[in-house]
């Protein structure tokens, strides 16, 4: 398998960058379907309220406003009152539609504010890219969805009207009020059915958009490596930096060995350099190491005439429990004091 093939799931960083650009899995049909369904449902809920308000408007027009003199003041008052009353009638529908639009978008993408999609991009004016989009598989899928949607809605409308054919044929003999009531009921029924159908189709469309989004977001193994290098740094460079840091730390440690009072060994695998003076609360480890580093510590100690004492248990314990620059713990005072006393005794004899 080639490393350039996009077979890997997108990393969290890639997903976040895509989201910041406004590239998310979203179906444009889902909010529209929810708005249509809940708007027609609101007619059922607020139907009596809207009927009362509408009746009040017509009563006011015919009983009050038509008796007024036609003056600029009266005309302005008429239109102001009609505007307010109209807004009171449609306000519940508008509120439900707005809340539904916000909620349906929130369900899909959560909270997202970005201006990136609004930026001017000259690549969108490329006619070749436009032709590719028109002839793409996505366009074919959208066309099939539209045909399927219209076919299903057309069948539902036909079936609903056919089931009411006898009533439709008798409308001419019914009172105007009954005709209006029948048409309103039939319209609401069709609106609810079409809304439900569109919601179901929109859910399938959302799943398809989710699939397409994940597919387009996939990364190759090389993409993941490149992203890691950008975010964390090149592993080779970081390894060289760590090596340099260790080498510098080693050099600093070796520079401290000549200041030691004694080097405790086990005798070949471990070496710990200790220093003690009157200003210290306890002897301090100024260098330690194993194998090759231990050998270097012993060599520097020999070159600088630092006394080396072999004590296997103490050397292992000091190496395991005390870090460089730390004072020895209280439970080691006795053992270290004996070693230092021995060292001071040898130095006294030498002097």
């Amino acid at each position: 398998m080639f490393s350039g093939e996009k077979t890997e799931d997108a990393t969290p960083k890639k997903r976040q960058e895509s989201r910041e650009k406004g590239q998310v899995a979203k179906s444009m049909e889902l909010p529209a379907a929810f708005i249509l369904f809940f708007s027609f449902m609101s007619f059922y809920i607020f139907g009596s309220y809207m009927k009362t308000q509408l009746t009040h408007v017509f009563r006011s027009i015919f009983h009050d406003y038509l008796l007024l003199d036609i003056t600029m003041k009266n005309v302005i008052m008429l239109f102001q009152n009609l505007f307010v009353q109209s807004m009171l009638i449609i306000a519940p529908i508008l509120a439900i539609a707005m809340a539904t639009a916000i909620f349906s978008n929130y369900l899909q993408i959560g909270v997202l504010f970005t201006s990136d999609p609004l930026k001017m991009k000259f690549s969108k004016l490329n006619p070749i890219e436009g032709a590719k989009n028109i002839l793409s598989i996505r366009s074919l899928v959208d066309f099939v969805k539209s045909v399927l949607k219209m076919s299903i809605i057309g069948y539902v409308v036909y079936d609903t009207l056919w089931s009411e054919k006898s009533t439709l044929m008798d409308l001419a003999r019914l009172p105007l009020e009954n005709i209006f009531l029948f048409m309103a009921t039939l319209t609401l029924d069709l609106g609810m059915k079409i809304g439900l159908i569109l919601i179901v189709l929109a859910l399938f469309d959302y799943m398809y958009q989710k699939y397409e989004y994940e597919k387009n977001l996939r990364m190759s193994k090389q993409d993941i490596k490149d992203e890691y290098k950008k975010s964390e740094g090149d592993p080779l460079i970081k390894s060289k930096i760590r090596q340099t840091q260790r080498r510098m730390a080693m050099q600093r440690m070796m520079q401290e060995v000549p200041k030691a009072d004694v080097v405790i060994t086990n005798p070949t695998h471990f070496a710990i350099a200790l220093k003690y003076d009157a200003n210290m609360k306890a002897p301090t480890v100024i260098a330690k190491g194993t194998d090759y580093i231990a050998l270097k510590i012993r060599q520097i100690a020999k070159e600088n005439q630092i006394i080396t004492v072999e004590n296997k248990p103490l050397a292992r314990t000091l190496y395991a429990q005390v870090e460089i620059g730390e004072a020895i713990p209280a439970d080691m005072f006795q053992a270290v004091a004996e070693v230092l006393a021995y060292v001071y005794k040898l130095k006294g004899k030498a002097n």
Side-chain angles (χ1 to χ4, degrees), residues 65-121:
Y65 298 128
L66 289 181
L67 300 178
L68 295 174
D69 295 330
I70 301 177
T71 63
M72 183 61 70
K73 181 180 179 180
N74 290 339
V75 170
I76 293 175
M77 181 185 67
L78 170 62
F79 281 101
Q80 286 179 343
N81 291 337
L82 288 177
F83 176 78
V84 172
Q85 290 171 345
S86 300
M87 290 303 299
L88 290 175
I89 293 173
I90 65 174
I93 309 298
L94 293 177
I96 289 176
M98 185 178 296
T100 303
I102 295 173
F103 182 69
S104 57
N105 279 285
Y106 175 79
L107 285 178
Q108 294 185 83
I109 62 176
V111 179
L112 176 61
F113 297 99
T114 178
S115 60
D116 192 85
L118 302 177
K119 294 179 180 178
M120 186 63 164
K121 296 180 181 178

Side-chain angles (χ1 to χ4, degrees), residues 17 20-21 43 58 115 125 137 153 165 179-182 194 202 220 245 247 254 263 280 283 285 297 300 313 327:
E17 290 177 350
E20 290 174 355
K21 294 178 181 178
F43 283 111
F58 281 101
S115 60
L125 302 177
I137 297 178
I153 292 174
K165 62 182 183 298
I179 294 174
F180 178 78
L181 180 61
F182 170 76
I194 293 173
S220 64
Q245 291 173 339
R247 185 170 62 253
M254 292 304 177
V263 173
M280 294 181 179
V285 174
I297 293 174
I300 295 174

Side-chain angles (χ1 to χ4, degrees), residues 254-286:
M254 292 304 177
Q255 291 173 358
E256 294 295 318
V257 174
K259 303 176 183 178
D261 292 312
V262 64
V263 173
I264 302 175
T265 67
N266 82 327
T268 57
H269 294 296
F270 294 86
I272 294 89
L274 294 178
K275 178 179 176 58
Y276 179 71
D277 58 39
N279 297 323
M280 294 181 179
K281 295 181 179 179
T284 301
V285 174
I286 59 174

